[in-house]
Amino acid sequence: MTAAPALAPAALRVRGVTKSFGDLAVLRGVDLEVARGSILALLGSNGAGKTTLVRILATLLAADAGTAEVDGHDVAAEAPQVRESLSLTGQFAAVDEVLTGRENLILVARLRHLPRPAAVADAMLERFALTAAGRRRAGTYSGGMRRRLDIAMSLVGDPPVIVLDEPTTGLDPQSRLEVWRTIRELATGGTTVLLTTQHLDEAEQLADRIAILHEGRIVHTGTLAELRALLPAAPVEMVQKQPSLEDVFLALIGHDGPPATAPSGPTAQETAS
């Protein structure tokens, strides 16, 4: 009898990670796994410990206890390999606004010691639909363009894992949609994405799985359907569906593409009575 093939290791694996700052326990034994080529949304309110966990995975902060692995490399023991495997995009775009978009990408390619940095920059501009703006100063970009450039810079060198910490902070609805499309394309191309967010609709739209971090612990992980199933079914009544303010905003500005809502269904929606 042929043995079943071994499952591929998770791209991110966290076991029993704790972290305190003085008397304040921020992480209290976090367990988490992210499958390769998937998007996991890490939800939590301010102070839940999301950014602390991200900094530990990025080797910017040492855990007090527990283990963490990125692409099979131990965060504590193999920090250089972890930094090659993971790229972190913070809450605010870290582009140099004096440089052009192309120059920003060339700079990152040189810092990563990649051959032909100009060719790398041109390829990333094309990948993220920024070729036409590539020779403009990044300071002239819209919020969505700056964020796309920021993500492009993070992906120079093709790291297998990218962590997006609150990637749509401060963006208008149209820019937010641009970033959402970019994140979906990353996962489709095989990149593993850990997305931290406070926006529940963002997790609904993007995530294959969702982990809820509360008071330093993961209280539940699952698909959206699995999380919804935790609650009892509510009585329903049929009401006329009204467009959201975001739908109206995007329609009025002539946005090209579907609104940032769940896939369309019947003309009525279920609501709890």
Side-chain angles (χ1 to χ4, degrees):
M1 181 176 178
T2 304
L7 295 176
L12 291 173
R13 178 177 286 113
V14 178
R15 289 286 181 268
V17 165
T18 66
K19 183 64 183 180
S20 297
F21 297 97
D23 295 331
L24 177 62
V26 178
L27 300 178
R28 304 165 183 257
V30 171
D31 296 314
L32 186 67
E33 285 195 7
V34 185
R36 294 183 185 277
S38 70
I39 302 174
L40 184 134
L42 182 62
L43 296 181
S45 56
N46 283 333
K50 302 189 302 298
T51 298
T52 298
L53 179 59
V54 164
R55 293 181 67 197
I56 289 172
L57 290 172
T59 73
L60 301 175
L61 189 65
D64 295 336
T67 61
E69 294 181 1
V70 175
D71 199 34
H73 302 294
D74 184 88
V75 168
E78 301 173 278
Q81 292 90 334
V82 169
R83 294 186 189 115
E84 291 179 359
S85 301
L86 179 145
S87 190
L88 169 62
T89 298
Q91 295 182 20
F92 302 98
V95 304
D96 188 323
E97 298 192 348
V98 175
L99 300 178
T100 67
R102 187 171 186 269
E103 288 168 342
N104 270 283
L105 290 163
I106 289 173
L107 175 62
V108 174
R110 286 175 174 166
L111 290 173
R112 288 186 175 269
H113 306 291
L114 298 180
R116 303 178 63 215
V120 171
D122 290 337
M124 297 304 288
L125 288 171
E126 182 177 1
R127 177 178 176 183
F128 286 87
L130 290 169
T131 300
R135 296 185 185 276
R136 282 170 38 200
R137 288 179 52 245
T140 68
Y141 287 10
S142 67
M145 291 171 67
R146 277 198 302 271
R147 179 53 85 182
R148 293 210 314 274
L149 176 60
D150 193 31
I151 294 173
M153 291 164 62
S154 296
L155 289 172
V156 169
D158 293 320
V161 180
I162 183 168
V163 178
L164 303 174
D165 190 14
E166 306 279 0
T168 58
T169 296
L171 296 185
D172 62 72
Q174 188 168 0
S175 297
R176 194 178 182 213
L177 288 180
E178 292 177 10
V179 174
W180 284 6
R181 280 194 293 270
T182 298
I183 294 171
R184 291 190 187 100
E185 289 166 2
L186 291 178
T188 300
T191 302
T192 303
V193 179
L194 174 61
L195 167 73
T196 77
T197 182
Q198 298 181 59
H199 302 298
L200 304 186
D201 60 334
E202 191 158 272
E204 287 188 23
Q205 288 290 317
L206 297 175
D208 298 304
R209 295 180 65 79
I210 299 167
I212 299 174
L213 182 64
H214 181 62
E215 295 182 348
R217 293 187 176 90
I218 301 292
V219 296
H220 216 287
T221 304
T223 65
L224 178 59
E226 289 168 346
L227 295 179
R228 282 175 171 163
L230 296 174
L231 299 180
V236 299
E237 62 182 12
M238 304 305 290
V239 298
Q240 183 179 2
K241 185 179 185 296
Q242 297 294 327
S244 68
L245 180 58
E246 186 168 346
D247 294 338
V248 174
F249 174 86
L250 293 171
L252 289 176
I253 65 172
H255 172 68
D256 183 19
T261 58
S264 59
T267 58
Q269 64 182 7
E270 294 183 349
T271 59
S273 60

